[in-house]
Amino acid sequence: MVVQFKYYSARIVILLILFLFSHINIAQIVRYGKPFIKNYTRSDYLAGQQNWMITENKDGRLFFANNEGLLEFDGQNWNIYPISNGIIIRSLLIDDNNRIYVGGYNEFGYFEADERGSLSYHSLMELLSPEYRDFEEIWRIHNTPEGLVFQSYSQLIILKDGAVKVIPAPGIFHFSFYINGQLLLVDKTEGLLRFTMGNFYPLIGTDLLKGHEIIAVIPFGNQYLFATAEMGLYVYNGNTLKEWINPASVFLKKNQVFSGERINADLLAFGTIQDGLLICTNEGKIIQKINREKGLQNNTVLCIMKDSFGNLWLGTDNGIDYLEINSPLSIISNDVGISAGYTAILHNGILYLGTNQGVFYKKWDSYISDPADNRFKIIETTRGQVWTLQEFDNRIFCGHHNGTFIIIDSSARKISDIPGAWTFINPAGHPDKIIGGTYSGLVLLKKTGDNWNFNTKIKGFDESSRELEMAGENTIWMTHGYKGVFSISLNQMLDSVTQVGFYDENKGFNNRFGIRVTKIKGQNIFTTSDGTYIYNRNNDLFEPYTSLNESLKLEGIKKLTEDSKGNIWYFSGEQIGVMRIQEDGNYVNINLPFKQLTGGFIGGFEFVYAINVSHVLIGTENGFIHYNPSQFKNYQKPFFVYINKVSVFRPDSIVFSGHTPPSGQRNASIKFRKNALYFSFSANDFENPEKTEFSTFMEGFDSDWTIWDTRLTREFTNLYEGDYTFYVKARNIYGVETETATFSVSIKPPWERSIAAYIMYAVIGFVLIGIALILIRKKIEKANQKEKERQQKKFKEREEKLQREALEAEKEIIRLRNEKLSEQMTMKDKELANSTLEMIQKNKLLNKIKNDLKKLNNSASNNELKNQIHNLIKKINKEVDAEKQWEVFETHFENVHEAFLKRLKSQFPELS
């Protein structure tokens, strides 16, 4: 048979819950066990031990009137703000503008955020005339239409529009109360007075209380409930007083009530001097009595405040206590004698709790009708580790470390000494027999007459048998946390094992570790870390139970338990939840109420027991958790996230302290040398602050939001100049996210990149450009000069080169000319020689002709011929004139060899 499941998203679940419980009083409180309590000691908040008043601002921060000043708490951080001379703050009030007014001994004033977000104190004492300044303690502050009223023993100080008016007390004031628009004062001589329009009017019919201390006035329908210090409580209807006589009044009268607060329309809370806190109904029925024995730090409760989440804060004579009264979960723990919880059962009107110290019991009617008296008693013979409590044959079978016990009423009888009785099952068809799983195998218990007794140890199987379920007639499934699954077949007498089958990874499972067996809808279901399995008899294998796995959609299932209504409780990972069955057979997954229990279970021994629709017990390391499904809690309640500090590292200094200044600006301008930023943040998730997660985003630096983390700080180093906006949001264990908190930072550029620097750079640039231009001009001129000089030099060099070349050319020309002259001389020498030779030859020839002519002349007889010959001889003589020829030769020789003859004559003048 396959069970069909349908999974609903968390949002649908929330809507269904809101619909189902829309007519239930949402301000119900813990009625059974005790609420979760957090103790904040002086070492936690580092201030005075006494806290006289508590209030909450519109941003969800808490403020305490402390012995050492104004104490602030934002969910993670405590801050103390002292006032002058270490004055104790006795009273405080926060107005609509988040201005915090305080009063103490001869001092009153207000705290307000400065521009850096730090609360600073402003005294108003200078508004008072000197004769009114010795008023002693300011015990109450009220915001009335006539102004802010500061009440001391001796006078009322009314502050309105920046001016004060003092109203002296008719006698001596004690406390005052502003209720339903009326300011009531307790005067020790005049009694109860109503103050209006500047006058005091006695309350008719309250003479009985004259001279007595009234510490609380609480609205009571159309009446008032007066709580006195010694005379108890009285109801006042406007004309007469009537003593409020009931168990609560008796308790308060005995233990001296000191503070009172209405929790909701049905419930009242009172703090006492002697015995802690009392919560009662309008009829005076006691719902809770919580004192030091049950978790408070001190039995004297000085003040009570219900926060916006419906939980209580107590200022005690020694510390601060936080009571989570709005939760459907409460604790049954060591204050009633209970330690680690392993098992529980309700039987015959008695609730039995199995722990590591034994079995404890209490009558159920007493537990329900008088939850204030919830101490359990131990069954002495069961002291020690208890593993299971199960009902068979109208008896309680107790599986114990020391063996097996039968419990009847408030006594227990041991029936088996075999140690370590894990669990029991009743085999079908054998009403007189019980099989028990022990550390060392199986045992058989048998009923004889009207008594159950040990029969025998079942032979053939010695494995530790912690979880058992019947698989069929005489067949048992046993799961071993480390080995796997065993199928154990017994004989007809059930006293010996006939066959054992073993199933691990080779038989369908992915992992043999942590397998557990349970029954859902009468079918054996095997749970593992990777889902559920069922057995397929046809192939003798285990197969994933697909429909159930798809419906549950859970990872790391450790245990499933079906209650009497068909709801399936599950342990998955470190969490618990319930698949609650609906009328149509589908299931709704409920897990939000149990989120704060995550990680508190006993590993391997997870336990849940649904007594009925209003009472479920869950075993934990520290006892039992009582869960009341009929008590509604809004898990989608919004909360706040704060940026409570922004600081820089170089040097270490704070630039923002968390509070929005009157201007509303949340930003800072940072010098570049301080560009390493530190952000600290928190959230007012008072219930589970250690599990609150944060995500941040720095616009201008990050590309996306960071992953969710419980870290409360983030640092940035070496940020470049520019504008940045830091965002942070918080998420609680229920998945509710806050609105984002933001802080803007403008990092100035370094001086070298500032506007002034750029202007200077521009000026310097222009100057440098001018200088550069001048230098360039000079350089150009110099370059031109150099170029000119270079050109001149080059020209000179070229000129010299040309001159050299010219000289060389001239030399060459001279050489060539000389060569030519030489050649010419050679030629002239040759010509001279030739000429000389020719002249010599000619002379020789002429001389020969002359000689021949002389001979002819001598031989001629003709005179005329002789004359002609004589003329020819004269002509020849003229042609062969030696002197003339030398002159010709000398001329030709001088032309060839210039001044040679002169040099020769000058050197050899004697030469002819």
Side-chain angles (χ1 to χ4, degrees), residues 140 142 149-152 155-156 167 169-170 172-178 182-188 190-196 199-203 206 214 217:
R140 294 288 188 271
H142 308 289
V149 178
F150 298 82
Q151 176 252 312
S152 72
Q155 61 193 26
L156 298 181
I167 309 293
I172 298 176
F173 288 137
H174 183 238
F175 288 147
S176 59
F177 312 93
Y178 189 66
Q182 295 192 73
L183 180 58
L184 306 179
L185 297 108
V186 181
D187 189 284
K188 290 186 177 181
E190 300 297 325
L192 272 164
L193 304 173
R194 181 168 59 90
F195 179 77
T196 182
N199 295 306
F200 298 101
Y201 300 93
L203 288 186
T206 62
I214 299 174
V217 177

Side-chain angles (χ1 to χ4, degrees), residues 385-400:
Q385 178 66 61
V386 177
W387 296 121
T388 186
L389 294 172
Q390 295 174 252
E391 180 183 357
F392 299 100
D393 191 34
N394 201 34
R395 290 169 172 79
I396 300 298
F397 285 72
C398 171
H400 197 282

Side-chain angles (χ1 to χ4, degrees), residues 49-51 297-298 300-302 314-321:
Q49 65 182 33
Q50 292 176 317
N51 296 276
Q297 296 179 81
N298 192 277
T300 299
V301 178
L302 301 176
L314 309 181
T316 75
D317 202 45
N318 187 18
I320 298 168
D321 294 325

Side-chain angles (χ1 to χ4, degrees), residues 76 639-642 681-683 689 692-696 706-712 728-731:
Q76 272 90 13
F639 64 110
F640 295 93
V641 66
Y642 314 110
F681 36 85
S682 59
T692 304
E693 297 177 319
F694 298 87
S695 180
T696 62
T706 62
I707 61 173
W708 291 102
D709 193 357
T710 56
R711 287 186 57 191
L712 301 173
V728 60
K729 58 184 177 181
R731 181 177 69 181

Side-chain angles (χ1 to χ4, degrees), residues 220 244-249 266-268 280-286:
F220 201 69
W244 200 49
I245 302 175
N246 47 56
S249 182
D266 301 318
L267 298 174
L268 305 164
C280 66
T281 66
N282 285 334
E283 293 74 35
K285 180 181 178 181
I286 297 175

